[in-house]
Amino acid sequence: MMLVSTLKRCFVRAFLAGLSFFLLLCVSGCSFKTKQSSLDPKGPIALAQYDLFMVTVWVTLFIFVTVGGALLWVVWRFRQRPDDDDDHMPNQSHGNPLVEVGLIVASILLLVIIAVPTLRVLVYTFELPEDEGSKLGQWYQGPLTEEDAETILTVNVMGYQWWWAFEYPQLGITTANELVIPEGKVVKLNLRSADVIHSFWLPKIAGKVDLIPGRANWMWIKADEPGHYYGQCAEFCGSAHAYMLFRSDVLSHRDFEAWVEYQKKDAPEALEVSVAAGERLFAEKTCIQCHTIRGNQYAMGIKGPDLTHVASRKSLAAGIMDNRGVDGRIDRLKQRENLFEWIKNSQHIKPGNLMYHDDAGLKTVPLSDDDVHKIVAYLQTLN
Amino acid sequence: MAVSTHAPVADKRLLPPSKSLIGLIRPDTSTGLVDWLTTVDHKKIGIMYGGFALFFFLLGGIEALLIRLQLMYPGGTVVSAQTYNQLFTMHGTTMVFLAVMPLNAAFFNFVMPLQIGARDVAFPRLNALGLWAFVAGALILNLSWLFQWAQVFGWFTPVSGQMDIVPAIGWFGYAPITGKNYSGIGTDFWIFGLQVLGVASLVGSFNFITTIINMRAPGMTMMRLPLFTWMTLITSFLIIFAFPAITIALVELMFDRFFGTNFYHVEMGGQPILWQHLFWIFGHPEVYILILPTMGIVSEILPTFARKPLFGYPMVVFSGAVIGFLGFAVWSHHMFTTGLGVVATAAFSLLTMAIAVPTGVKILNWIGTLWGGHIRFSVPMVFALGFIWMFMMGGFSGIMHSAAPADAQQQDSYFVVAHFHYVLIGGALLAILGGLYFWVPKIFGRMMSEKVGYIAASAIIIGFNVAFFPMHYLGLTGMPRRTHTYLAGFGWETWNFVATIGAFVLGIGVLMVIIDLIRTVASGKPCGSDPWDARTLEWSLPSPVPAYNFAHNPVIPGRDAWWLHKYGKKPEQEIEYEKTGPEGIHMPSQSWWPLVSSVGLLVVGVAMALHSAGVPYCGYVAIGGLGLSVVSFFLWALEGPGGYHLTPPDDGDEPQKVLASYTPEPSQKLELTH
């Protein structure tokens, strides 16, 4: 008996210790402002979705407290007590239509509280703000400025296994895995897939929309403040789905203009000897079959990412490898290491990707460390 | 009829061997393994359903724990990306089709005929086919692991470039990733496994519907059916309406992969989105196929331990039916991010909210049942109360998903993972374990350990919450699901670690239950026929239940018949019995053909997948397997109805009162003599 009570006490203590540790974790481990958090909206769409989510949270919290409280109270109040008669027969009531119908009506009313803002946000997020049909949406967030309504920047988002191409048809430039947009302007994204289904998810700016082969999906986004945002493919798309990340740079108007001008330029000619050697290897080792580098007349492949300004990107391999130093700017040394690692071991880093594989995905091209260094030197000039 | 009519015997082993119409001896007198393989007894079939389902449940659990180990730390290297994708595909498929559905089917089989006062299901051999086809489908799916290992050791190499021999496409198998360009023969194992499992579910459901409609004891009107039987009926209807959709989708996919059609090939004008519609018009009712039976279980446990009738019985039945209807009208809420447009999204959003109403009705009625009761705590009751609480929380996140724009942030994130595990572990699993503790005394006549039960229930409920509650946070802070790893620095490290710990606590709890179950079956403490002082007809029978269930047909006085019989104040509330005549109780004959035809289906599935891998002659083997199935179906039809008669024991150790004055109607006499 002694032992049992001691054990019981130990168990209760362990339980309380565990619980307090858990609560401590809840307080310390729960930041809502993490890199990819949907709870830290930085654009009107994410904000509208967040506000709607909070409506559902408050309504369900209310139901939780009342219904859960009722359940706890009932179980406590009507429990069999040790001195109760085992054969006690409670009142055999089997229902009360008034109570039942009343509760149904109450739950319908609670759902209406959610339904109304749902429809409002639905129209707002699904219709481009310039559309006639989205008057309701405009009323919700206020009308767009004239300038916005006239010139909507369009980006064609193309999903591949397992990377992203971002094409700016109005500007004639193409980048990969880094979506650069101006702050405070509506951007229309045309979402297309080259192979399987992907899903574009940039939590701080907008919830996801799928890229489905054979379907012309689109979405509009707007970012309120400049910054570096994190996104990810959200639909299972094959073995390296976890490595299909992307970044988004939101720039001020002036920076965006400068970026566009810069991206429009072709890649510089390879002047240095070592760089020229890299350029030659880039052609010899069949890299040109898949990659485009504007300014390099041989590199016109379209299967892989456009590398015209690859060295100006802050990440590598669809956002897995970060090229930035502690100050948030590109660290050339880190970039060189990343490029080397990626070209040398791309199958190890992202299993199943098509880098220097033939169509069947079987044959590889042999590359010595020296070759890789030369190619990296060439690629680093493409900034 | 050429079948000889036997004189009634007390034990089937005393029967003379009898030939069926095709000249084979029917295995009626068999014992041991052959008896189990050829049985048509719904109770034995139910026990085998449960046994196989628990085995696959453990397998799916091991897959889940490997998944959690891989995600314990960022950049985990426990398994490769491909293996991880195979694990989550097989975990989902296993838990839905090989664990929860057959566990529910185990209860349908064992409990439902007893609850309606029937001596077996309407089509006993079809019932056996349901079981063995389920085993065949489960084996097709899981044999892929063996071939994958063979490939690792270099004993087996598919000719196509794709090396995934275990399906790695997710349990939802979205086209075009299931196409030949993107996935290997694992997809073929998956297609044939699911098709065969569909056969199993369909024959089972037709059988249950026929049984409930036609074989109720006299006086057992529809509105006197126990809630669990009602939910069996509704679930069976859901299955027969939902499964054709996935059958068609899978046939189209099979044609795409084997015969070069283009249902889902975009480049040839196919539409991948078609798969999503077909899959979810099956897949959403499937969710209710998993959860409605468990609501039935809880609706049996709560009144028993509150010693009160179910509050608002007609409302609970009706809300179950409404859930069934609406379940077919909400499939596109799985597709809110596929660009359906404003109108469709709004419609499915509102319909999804509407389905919360009948679900809420059930929860409120369960609380109403407890209200004013005399609540006794027991292991089944702890599981049932845990069910209400956890299912309610899963329902809340469900309401959050129904708001389509908010769902755009939640879809395919860990928030959804948290949601459906609250519904399926916190809901379905807790209720199934409660049902296990509740009915094991009836099934085996032995009590499971209460102490182990309480400890296991605490471990399961605490472990489950520690594992899955943090996933709400992970999802909202941007962690997508079905990713084999994640980068450090996104704020997901702590809670993934915590979730893994919780998953192992949950696993230990489940393991305790299963070990205790095995111990109970082998050497548990024997118990009386009605240890819980329960309410429905199955508790009026001795434990374990004799082969013929009811020695004398009961006449049902009202809802909760056994409770009325025990505690009713009026004489007309007692159960009366129609005395069985000297001709004895008609019993169905056993048969080999359900098992043999299922072996044929197993051969078809495996051979087709291997054919796809380029193994020579497998096409012929598949045709042979199909031939075996077809031939055994013919022989099944030709072997004749068979049957024999048993005499119930004179005194009838059943706690029942036989009315001496009762004379059966002529039609019933006819039925008894077959």
Side-chain angles (χ1 to χ4, degrees), chain A residues 67-241:
Chain A
V67 178
L71 178 61
L72 286 181
W73 182 81
V74 165
V75 171
W76 181 254
R77 167 69 185 74
F78 296 106
R79 76 191 189 283
Q80 179 178 341
R81 291 162 177 83
D83 49 350
D84 273 359
D85 177 14
D86 237 11
D87 294 328
H88 171 73
M89 187 62 64
N91 181 13
Q92 298 290 301
S93 81
H94 49 72
N96 182 335
L98 211 63
V99 172
E100 291 166 43
V101 173
L103 288 170
I104 292 176
V105 172
S107 42
I108 291 174
L109 287 180
L110 282 170
L111 286 172
V112 170
I113 298 178
I114 297 175
V116 172
T118 296
L119 294 180
R120 213 160 60 180
V121 178
L122 191 69
V123 174
Y124 175 65
T125 53
F126 272 46
E127 305 264 353
L128 203 60
E130 60 169 1
D131 288 353
E132 276 298 306
S134 67
K135 284 281 187 282
L136 192 58
Q138 290 191 27
W139 161 76
Y140 179 72
Q141 282 287 334
L144 286 183
T145 60
E146 265 177 43
E147 186 201 2
D148 261 342
E150 277 163 22
T151 59
I152 288 189
L153 178 66
T154 303
V155 181
N156 294 334
V157 177
M158 195 77 175
Y160 295 84
Q161 277 183 326
W162 296 278
W163 60 280
W164 306 81
F166 299 111
E167 182 195 8
Y168 298 70
Q170 296 147 330
L171 307 172
I173 54 181
T174 303
T175 67
N177 302 321
E178 287 190 23
L179 174 67
V180 180
I181 54 171
E183 74 168 304
K185 291 216 8 167
V186 172
V187 180
K188 185 186 177 195
L189 304 178
N190 291 319
L191 304 166
R192 306 284 184 273
S193 167
D195 35 51
V196 298
I197 300 174
H198 304 281
S199 191
F200 181 92
W201 188 23
L202 192 53
K204 292 198 181 191
I205 308 293
K208 57 194 81 61
V209 176
D210 296 350
L211 291 69
I212 302 175
R215 270 180 86 83
N217 279 353
W218 62 273
M219 67 193 291
W220 70 272
I221 58 172
K222 187 170 150 186
D224 287 337
E225 46 189 272
H228 193 64
Y229 298 98
Y230 297 81
Q232 192 160 354
C233 172
E235 185 61 81
F236 177 64
C237 57
S239 63
H241 162 57

Side-chain angles (χ1 to χ4, degrees), chain A residues 31 38 80 201 208 210 215, chain B residues 337 339 375-376 411 473 476:
Chain A
S31 166
S38 72
Q80 179 178 341
W201 188 23
K208 57 194 81 61
D210 296 350
R215 270 180 86 83
Chain B
T337 62
I375 301 173
R376 283 178 296 144
Q411 166 87 1
Y473 169 81
L476 290 172

Side-chain angles (χ1 to χ4, degrees), chain A residues 154-371:
Chain A
T154 303
V155 181
N156 294 334
V157 177
M158 195 77 175
Y160 295 84
Q161 277 183 326
W162 296 278
W163 60 280
W164 306 81
F166 299 111
E167 182 195 8
Y168 298 70
Q170 296 147 330
L171 307 172
I173 54 181
T174 303
T175 67
N177 302 321
E178 287 190 23
L179 174 67
V180 180
I181 54 171
E183 74 168 304
K185 291 216 8 167
V186 172
V187 180
K188 185 186 177 195
L189 304 178
N190 291 319
L191 304 166
R192 306 284 184 273
S193 167
D195 35 51
V196 298
I197 300 174
H198 304 281
S199 191
F200 181 92
W201 188 23
L202 192 53
K204 292 198 181 191
I205 308 293
K208 57 194 81 61
V209 176
D210 296 350
L211 291 69
I212 302 175
R215 270 180 86 83
N217 279 353
W218 62 273
M219 67 193 291
W220 70 272
I221 58 172
K222 187 170 150 186
D224 287 337
E225 46 189 272
H228 193 64
Y229 298 98
Y230 297 81
Q232 192 160 354
C233 172
E235 185 61 81
F236 177 64
C237 57
S239 63
H241 162 57
Y243 289 145
M244 189 167 164
L245 284 57
F246 65 96
R247 312 286 182 94
S248 179
D249 254 336
V250 176
L251 303 178
S252 65
H253 280 275
R254 242 198 26 230
D255 289 350
F256 184 72
E257 299 284 320
W259 179 82
V260 169
E261 283 315 307
Y262 191 78
Q263 294 287 318
K264 279 181 173 174
K265 286 188 206 150
D266 286 350
E269 267 182 70
L271 298 174
E272 279 179 60
V273 181
S274 61
V275 175
E279 189 184 14
R280 205 165 51 246
L281 278 169
F282 193 81
E284 278 172 13
K285 300 293 181 186
T286 69
C287 308
I288 51 166
Q289 288 181 0
C290 296
H291 294 287
T292 293
I293 296 175
R294 271 180 291 123
N296 178 335
Q297 54 174 324
Y298 304 109
M300 293 170 70
I302 52 165
K303 277 187 192 157
D306 187 306
L307 299 181
T308 309
H309 293 280
V310 64
S312 73
R313 294 182 196 147
K314 293 173 178 170
S315 64
L316 187 66
I320 317 172
M321 304 169 110
D322 204 331
N323 291 336
R324 295 173 307 164
V326 278
D327 58 348
R329 299 163 68 138
I330 295 173
D331 178 342
R332 303 283 290 171
L333 203 64
K334 209 169 161 189
Q335 187 180 45
R336 184 186 308 162
E337 281 168 12
N338 284 345
L339 279 167
F340 180 84
E341 194 59 28
W342 171 242
I343 297 171
K344 185 76 192 162
N345 294 322
S346 86
Q347 281 306 316
H348 179 70
I349 294 167
K350 193 187 276 194
N353 86 80
L354 294 177
M355 182 101 144
Y356 53 82
H357 279 61
D358 65 3
D359 279 347
L362 291 174
K363 205 170 69 192
T364 58
V365 182
L367 281 172
S368 70
D369 280 8
D370 194 41
D371 292 344

Side-chain angles (χ1 to χ4, degrees), chain B residues 383-540:
Chain B
F383 277 115
L385 291 174
F387 168 92
I388 301 180
W389 194 264
M390 297 305 137
F391 182 75
M392 183 169 72
M393 293 182 60
F396 291 149
S397 46
I399 292 176
M400 295 172 187
H401 298 315
S402 73
D407 181 63
Q409 291 281 19
Q410 297 156 6
Q411 166 87 1
D412 276 327
S413 77
Y414 264 83
F415 194 80
V416 172
V417 177
H419 161 70
F420 66 73
H421 281 94
Y422 263 86
V423 179
L424 288 181
I425 296 184
L429 180 66
L430 287 190
I432 284 170
L433 293 178
L436 198 72
Y437 272 90
F438 188 57
W439 277 307
V440 154
K442 178 52 58 190
I443 298 172
F444 297 109
R446 297 168 189 275
M447 287 298 264
M448 290 179 75
S449 158
E450 200 169 44
K451 202 181 283 169
V452 175
Y454 280 128
I455 297 172
S458 326
I460 289 171
I461 294 175
I462 293 173
F464 161 71
N465 278 290
V466 171
F468 290 97
F469 197 79
M471 290 188 190
H472 291 108
Y473 169 81
L474 288 173
L476 290 172
T477 53
M479 183 166 168
R481 66 192 280 209
R482 298 173 186 136
T483 47
H484 74 273
T485 187
Y486 52 96
L487 300 184
F490 285 80
W492 303 328
E493 294 92 334
T494 313
W495 293 109
N496 269 303
F497 183 81
V498 170
T500 302
I501 303 290
F504 274 88
V505 176
L506 170 62
I508 290 169
V510 169
L511 202 63
M512 283 167 73
V513 172
I514 291 179
I515 290 174
D516 191 48
L517 176 65
I518 294 169
R519 184 198 61 80
T520 304
V521 174
S523 63
K525 201 173 75 198
C527 63
S529 64
D530 184 16
W532 309 117
D533 195 11
R535 315 177 68 84
T536 43
L537 209 51
E538 74 268 31
W539 301 101
S540 71

Side-chain angles (χ1 to χ4, degrees), chain B residues 271-327:
Chain B
Q271 277 292 356
I273 197 84
L274 172 66
W275 171 272
Q276 295 194 20
H277 283 291
L278 285 173
F279 184 82
W280 287 118
I281 205 165
F282 148 79
H284 198 77
E286 173 70 20
V287 174
Y288 296 109
I289 290 168
L290 300 176
I291 200 73
L292 281 176
T294 65
M295 290 173 160
I297 293 172
V298 169
S299 304
E300 298 292 333
I301 294 176
L302 291 177
T304 298
F305 293 102
R307 295 171 68 81
K308 256 187 78 202
L310 188 68
F311 185 84
Y313 170 94
M315 205 64 109
V316 178
V317 170
F318 189 63
S319 65
V322 171
I323 290 174
F325 275 112
L326 281 179

